[in-house]
Amino acid sequence: MIYDIEYETMPREALEAIQFRRLKATIERGYASVPFYRQKFEAAGITPGDIQSLDDLPRLPFTTKQDLRDNYPFGMFAVPMENVVRIHASSGTTGQPTVVGYTARDVDTWAGLMARSLMAGGATRGDIIHNAYGYGLFTGGLGAHYGAEKLGASVIPVSGGNTKRQVVIMKDFGPTILTATPSYALHLAEVADEMGVSFPDLKFKYGIFGAEPWSERMRDEIEEKLGLVAVDIYGLSEVIGPGVAMECYEAKKGLHIFEDHFIPEIIDPQTGEVLPYGETGELVFTSITKEAFPVIRYRTRDITALSPEPCICGRTMVRMNKVSGRSDDMLIIRGVNVFPSQIESVLMEMKHIEPHYQLVVDREGQLDILTVMVEVSEAMFSDEVKTLQGMEQEITKNIKDYLGVSAKVKLVEPKAIARSQGKAVRVIDNRQI
Ligand code: DLL
């Protein structure tokens, strides 16, 4: 029995009453146990007693990634170390890693959330879950693993890498659910193909993919190549790991946020002002049940919008749109803002293009130069150079027409772009060097 499931269809008022009670407790504990929060509150002239309703949440100061870094490694923990049973860390591609901790109860909460996520994504206790998220400091592997066990499914803890061996396991064990990053899922299918294994003929029904942005067009591509239903899962280490929000397989349209544990807000990233439903901005989360590492108004830097529209699955929890990218991944090319996922959408519209691409940004003088490297199908590449040139021009035109950005397009041979076992590296920004 997965506890907490009743929250998913609760009337708004009842849910908000629970949220407020939990929020109060989190704020009081954060204030009492984490010097950082006390100082921040004091500087803002606010005490926990000033928070009288959910509407008062925006009065609290934000917490940023930099704040977590300043308190590296354990300065944000709200419980003594003897109560911490697990430590994870985010990869820290843009600086010092962020370290997060869990009490035994937090691990249990997280497992419950992941079980609920897997269920929303189509998994049942009768399923065999091939878990190709990386195990280790990254939260993907262990997060999905504990959730699968909590659900009562059978989990294969295969992690990322050893791709050929994974294909053999998939063929022999007959897993029915695949959990992986979308880019690694595509790589699995590609290697299967090289080994003469038809991926769509395997037993997979659902793929639960996340940890990196992927466009709707990429979803179509994956569903076709892998022969499964692809659903999106979202989360971040600072908030708990995967299992913060999840698409339902019924609608596949927006991710239900587990609001009995996390309160979402969308803010204008420039002014910090809270934006209404439907407007796109930066996602902010307050955790309301975590013990070891509570976050209060944490700025995720992820860009999305919230929708309270009822869903055909019956869940009443607010949905967030697919994350288009992080504000720090946004490229500003000669004044035009563009996310890699938007370029992905344009590329995936075209025939003979493979779902493997990389964006290279250089600076020549004062000008930013964007080069889009994308693989084309084998047949195309062996064709005449003239055809390739025509295709490059067509992609350049489409990118300009749809996104307003001038890009150089370079078609490359199949498998020319490095494959990743976890999150794909979509952007190489040479401007920072
Ligand atoms: O990526 C947790 C996770 C694991 C989520 C497995 C889903 C599946 P971090 O390594 O801390 O945690 O990275 C979090 O990844 O702020 C987003 O920018 C991005 N991200 C995560 N899920 C999605 C998604 C895990 N579904 C950061 N769509 C987040 C787009 C995502 N971006």
Side-chain angles (χ1 to χ4, degrees):
M1 163 66 189
I2 307 302
Y3 55 90
D4 279 3
I5 202 143
E6 69 273 16
Y7 293 111
E8 300 195 0
T9 50
M10 215 172 225
R12 196 80 217 155
E13 231 169 70
L15 179 66
E16 288 184 354
I18 292 164
Q19 282 185 317
F20 180 60
R21 213 181 56 228
R22 292 179 169 182
L23 174 67
K24 276 294 264 189
T26 297
I27 293 171
E28 272 155 21
R29 209 154 31 77
Y31 187 80
S33 326
V34 185
F36 163 81
Y37 284 124
R38 179 182 288 264
Q39 282 155 18
K40 266 262 171 119
F41 282 28
E42 278 171 0
I46 200 160
T47 63
D50 294 329
I51 304 304
Q52 308 267 340
S53 77
L54 286 179
D55 294 337
D56 288 331
L57 183 60
R59 296 177 59 191
L60 294 173
F62 292 118
T63 306
T64 63
K65 184 125 189 150
Q66 189 57 45
D67 293 328
L68 306 189
R69 288 196 178 129
D70 292 345
N71 288 282
Y72 177 88
F74 304 142
M76 299 293 283
F77 288 12
V79 298
M81 213 52 194
E82 66 203 48
N83 292 347
V84 172
V85 302
R86 177 91 68 80
I87 291 167
H88 280 282
S90 76
S91 42
T93 40
T94 50
Q96 208 164 34
T98 318
V99 182
V100 299
Y102 304 74
T103 63
R105 207 186 109 197
D106 291 335
V107 170
D108 196 50
T109 302
W110 186 20
L113 282 165
M114 274 308 294
R116 286 165 63 186
S117 302
L118 294 168
M119 265 171 69
T124 64
R125 59 194 310 268
D127 279 301
I128 303 179
I129 300 182
H130 184 101
N131 185 22
Y133 283 120
Y135 282 63
L137 286 176
F138 175 54
T139 51
L142 284 168
H145 183 103
Y146 274 58
E149 285 188 353
K150 180 72 125 192
L151 179 64
S154 319
V155 57
I156 310 174
V158 69
S159 193
N162 276 320
T163 309
K164 282 190 174 150
R165 182 157 166 248
Q166 297 215 19
V167 173
V168 176
I169 289 172
M170 292 187 303
K171 202 157 70 72
D172 294 349
F173 298 6
T176 46
I177 305 276
L178 175 61
T179 51
T181 60
S183 55
Y184 190 58
L186 277 168
H187 184 47
L188 278 167
E190 185 175 65
V191 172
D193 194 49
E194 282 164 14
M195 292 167 67
V197 174
S198 157
F199 207 101
D201 290 338
L202 296 172
K203 296 220 175 102
F204 288 115
K205 291 179 293 190
Y206 295 101
I208 295 176
F209 303 134
E212 62 186 8
W214 51 305
S215 61
E216 278 305 321
R217 299 296 300 126
M218 183 65 93
R219 189 205 305 266
D220 297 341
E221 185 81 21
I222 291 177
E223 292 192 332
E224 194 193 310
K225 278 204 155 72
L226 275 66
L228 45 68
V229 173
V231 278
D232 193 6
I233 180 163
Y234 169 86
L236 62 166
S237 321
E238 297 90 319
V239 174
I240 205 160
V244 173
M246 177 71 203
E247 258 180 357
C248 56
Y249 70 91
E250 294 96 330
K252 290 199 294 180
K253 199 168 187 301
L255 299 89
H256 292 280
I257 296 174
F258 293 105
E259 288 182 282
D260 45 329
H261 295 273
F262 314 107
I263 301 180
E265 296 171 272
I266 295 286
I267 61 160
D268 176 323
Q270 256 75 51
T271 64
E273 181 204 350
V274 178
L275 300 177
Y277 285 141
E279 283 194 29
T280 300
E282 179 180 347
L283 183 60
V284 170
F285 275 114
T286 300
S287 71
I288 52 173
T289 52
K290 277 206 305 172
E291 293 181 333
F293 194 87
V295 283
I296 299 175
R297 303 200 82 207
Y298 181 67
R299 293 185 60 159
T300 65
R301 302 195 265 190
D302 290 325
I303 305 296
T304 185
L306 299 178
S307 155
E309 294 301 308
C311 183
I312 52 163
C313 72
R315 288 181 181 81
T316 51
M317 303 179 299
V318 155
R319 276 180 283 175
M320 57 186 251
N321 289 349
K322 244 174 168 329
V323 170
S324 44
R326 294 174 70 103
S327 52
D328 34 2
D329 281 349
M330 189 178 74
L331 299 169
I332 305 176
I333 305 296
R334 300 185 210 172
V336 183
N337 301 348
V338 61
F339 282 109
S341 62
Q342 292 176 297
I343 295 190
E344 176 180 297
S345 294
V346 174
L347 294 175
M348 296 299 111
E349 286 289 344
M350 307 211 35
K351 282 204 192 94
H352 308 299
I353 290 288
E354 294 295 313
H356 303 282
Y357 67 95
Q358 209 158 41
L359 312 180
V360 183
V361 191
D362 294 288
R363 180 162 289 154
E364 284 175 19
Q366 290 305 305
L367 278 188
D368 295 325
I369 310 285
L370 171 66
T371 309
V372 177
M373 311 236 290
V374 59
E375 292 181 12
V376 284
S377 61
E378 198 88 54
M380 226 19 228
F381 215 83
S382 47
D383 247 22
E384 284 188 22
V385 178
K386 230 168 71 194
T387 333
L388 286 180
Q389 277 176 352
M391 219 170 144
E392 284 177 352
Q393 281 162 7
E394 196 186 341
I395 299 175
T396 303
K397 181 173 183 308
N398 285 354
I399 292 176
K400 181 80 190 171
D401 287 353
Y402 289 115
L403 308 174
V405 169
S406 305
K408 281 187 193 166
V409 173
K410 201 164 165 238
L411 299 178
V412 295
E413 281 179 68
K415 317 221 168 83
I417 290 170
R419 304 292 187 253
S420 92
Q421 294 172 0
K423 299 182 191 236
V425 180
R426 299 293 192 203
V427 180
I428 298 174
D429 195 340
N430 295 323
R431 292 175 301 184
Q432 290 145 359
I433 298 167

